[in-house]
Amino acid sequence: MAITQISLFLMNQPGQLVDAVGTISGAGSNIRAMSIAEANDFGILRAIVTDTDKVCDVLKEKYLVTRTPVVAARMDDRHGALYPILEALNENNVNIEYMYAFTGTGPEEAYVVLRVQDPETAEAVLHAAGIETLSDDSLKI
Amino acid sequence: MARYYQPEIETAPREKILEIQNEKIVRQVRHVWDNVPYYRDLMMKKGVTPEDIHGVEDIKKLPFLSKSDLRDAYPYGLLGTDLKNCVRIHSTSGTTGKRVVAFYTQHDIDLWEDCTARAIVAAGGTEEDVVQVCYGYGLFTGGSGLHGGSHKVGCLTLPMSSGNTDRQIQFMMDLGATILCCTPSYAAYIGEALAEQGYKPEDNKLKAGIFGAEPWTEEMRRDIEKKLGIKAYDIYGLTETSGPGVSYECEEQKGMHINEDHFYAEIIDPDTGEVLPDGEKGELVFTSLDKEAFPLLRYRTRDICVLNRTPCSCGRTHVRMSKPMGRSDDMLIIRGVNVFPSQIEAVLLKEGYTPNYQIVLDRERNTDTFDVYVEVSADQFSDLMSQIQKMEKSLESALRTMLGIGPKVHLVAPKTITRSEGKAVRVVDKRKLHD
Ligand SMILES: [Zn+2]
């Protein structure tokens, strides 16, 4: 039940980021969460967006795009909430490649996006620890 | 089944070809002596007169012409006839500051177009074919050279010129182009663009491509053949000798037949100028046997090649030249190591990359910096930074193994490497700015 993340390859050049975001917004899509990893010459923009299929089609015209299943784990928006999530994964030897977080639409609701090798295993581990995860449907993307 | 454009010439017995050459060279040397004072002076300095030339055996007595002669004699110094007899010029891009202007009479254009027509027929062209010419038109010889040959064969000619890939693809698909003529890098680019638009290799009607005007490798040939679903033929020529069509490949794809009734080829030792025996690697030298307006004798091409006189199964009797193995002009000396861009291209294709790359050389604290920018394709892209950095490292190590010197590799987005007139800009050497 993982959710779909899109990733874009962007050159480190002025105007690339604003153009990419403009393209996503032009497709009528809302960015629910994003993060950027940067190297010397390029960056990778990772985002959770609404209307993923449509956004990918439009982005493909101009950018390298790839879709990756990631796990979005629910937590309360309060002190210490992230810890049990990471603890559960660590105890079960699930390695995290990268992560970022976003707040939900409900009050005091937040999510952490986790990029792992095997999302199914990670979700099973989280569910066993009583932690909820999102699906594309529940997120309406 | 082999077909020829001018069978009586293309399959002539060797004695017949020699006879044609002997007769033409005597007349041509006389023509140059009478009309080109620049070359007459060179001959006099060497103590040679037209009376010394009785056939191609005596060509070795003649002085060489090099690119620097062309620069010294610019623009009219090597003109072999009155300007009123000339109908056209072509020119090299002059990217190295050595612009060459070549002149043509109608006779010169005719013989040049015969040469490109032979190449088109050797690639399977007939009057049934639709030839898409996306070499640049204008000063560059590629466009009009293949265009003229295509007319002679009677093909439907699409004079596209280079660039505007969407339009190229639209015409290719809508009009059912069967033969594609362009630079190999542009052919690969069109192949990628077709795939991006969802076309499979079998969706187009192309059967052959005639590609030249820049160095390319066997790996690149296979890559293009697979992407476009065609057989890819090499063609060779220089603005100085007329343009593409001096030599061309037959279906054997094992060397390019030189049009020996128009061009006499020699391989020399680039250092001593001595003529080397057949089969030895050296610099290719051309003597134009019947051009009127720009009749270069013993022009040093700077291309390193081998000649092969063994009979070819296609039935053509003209000598074959290898694909140039490097150009002394192209050879880069980086931290004292000789590097040919074609070596880098071979590594990229072997490692599964596109042949779209650019070498950037600079100098920092008296040491050469060596950077290679390579376009990543969609199936190579990963959301993991570590994965992309691993790809860069592994390409760096493959290049170091091949070249004996390690470049820094930068993966870049598709279509970000500069192209000019459809020709990829392979080398940016900023070191010269500091000298
Ligand atoms: Zn042949």
Side-chain angles (χ1 to χ4, degrees), chain B residues 233-278:
Chain B
Y233 295 82
D234 204 355
I235 188 166
Y236 174 89
L238 306 159
T239 306
E240 293 88 325
T241 53
S242 62
V246 171
S247 65
Y248 60 93
E249 271 185 340
C250 62
E251 70 268 19
E252 283 295 305
Q253 296 179 313
K254 281 185 187 137
M256 296 175 274
H257 289 285
I258 296 172
N259 285 308
E260 286 185 280
D261 51 327
H262 300 304
F263 305 99
Y264 183 81
E266 296 169 280
I267 294 288
I268 63 161
D269 178 328
D271 295 327
T272 64
E274 217 164 307
V275 179
L276 297 173
D278 285 341

Side-chain angles (χ1 to χ4, degrees), chain A residues 63 78 100 123:
Chain A
Y63 298 100
R78 63 163 174 79
Y100 51 99
E123 286 199 310

Side-chain angles (χ1 to χ4, degrees), chain B residues 254-311:
Chain B
K254 281 185 187 137
M256 296 175 274
H257 289 285
I258 296 172
N259 285 308
E260 286 185 280
D261 51 327
H262 300 304
F263 305 99
Y264 183 81
E266 296 169 280
I267 294 288
I268 63 161
D269 178 328
D271 295 327
T272 64
E274 217 164 307
V275 179
L276 297 173
D278 285 341
E280 281 198 30
K281 184 160 65 163
E283 183 179 343
L284 182 63
V285 173
F286 275 119
T287 292
S288 146
L289 295 171
D290 47 13
K291 277 173 65 189
E292 295 172 342
F294 207 58
L296 301 190
L297 303 182
R298 296 201 96 193
Y299 179 65
R300 296 182 59 156
T301 64
R302 296 278 169 206
D303 282 328
I304 307 293
C305 296
V306 174
L307 293 184
N308 174 6
R309 291 192 197 274
T310 57

Side-chain angles (χ1 to χ4, degrees), chain A residues 19-94:
Chain A
D19 184 82
V21 169
T23 308
I24 295 173
S25 121
S29 165
N30 180 23
I31 302 175
R32 299 297 309 274
M34 66 180 283
S35 88
I36 292 180
E38 54 154 40
N40 271 335
D41 305 294
F42 63 90
I44 301 172
L45 183 155
R46 299 145 181 165
I48 310 293
V49 298
T50 61
D51 304 291
T52 308
D53 289 342
K54 192 171 158 200
V55 172
C56 277
D57 283 347
V58 177
L59 286 171
K60 254 193 283 184
E61 303 278 310
K62 291 206 252 175
Y63 298 100
L64 288 181
V65 189
T66 184
R67 293 160 170 255
T68 318
V70 291
V71 175
R74 191 191 177 286
M75 54 189 176
D76 290 340
D77 190 3
R78 63 163 174 79
H79 159 84
L82 179 60
Y83 184 78
I85 295 175
L86 301 187
E87 188 185 36
L89 294 172
N90 183 48
E91 279 173 1
N92 291 278
N93 298 316
V94 176

Side-chain angles (χ1 to χ4, degrees), chain B residues 158-233:
Chain B
L158 314 185
M160 303 298 298
S161 199
S162 58
N164 199 339
T165 308
D166 284 343
R167 189 175 64 190
Q168 302 279 4
I169 288 175
Q170 193 193 340
F171 275 76
M172 174 183 290
M173 302 309 289
D174 291 354
L175 298 179
T178 55
I179 298 178
L180 180 66
C181 303
C182 60
T183 57
S185 59
Y186 196 52
Y189 185 74
I190 289 177
E192 285 159 33
L194 278 169
E196 265 173 36
Q197 297 190 13
Y199 291 112
K200 293 192 195 66
E202 60 271 24
D203 291 340
N204 67 62
K205 289 219 170 84
L206 292 173
K207 62 178 184 185
I210 303 175
F211 306 127
E214 66 186 18
W216 54 312
T217 57
E218 279 305 315
E219 285 89 348
M220 196 166 169
R221 186 210 300 266
R222 283 192 286 276
D223 177 58
I224 294 169
E225 289 187 331
K226 203 168 82 193
K227 276 191 181 131
L228 293 173
I230 59 168
K231 189 157 176 169
Y233 295 82

Side-chain angles (χ1 to χ4, degrees), chain B residues 363 366 368 429-435:
Chain B
R363 192 160 287 154
N366 291 320
D368 294 339
D429 194 346
K430 299 179 183 166
R431 296 175 301 181
K432 290 166 190 151
L433 302 174
H434 309 302
D435 289 341

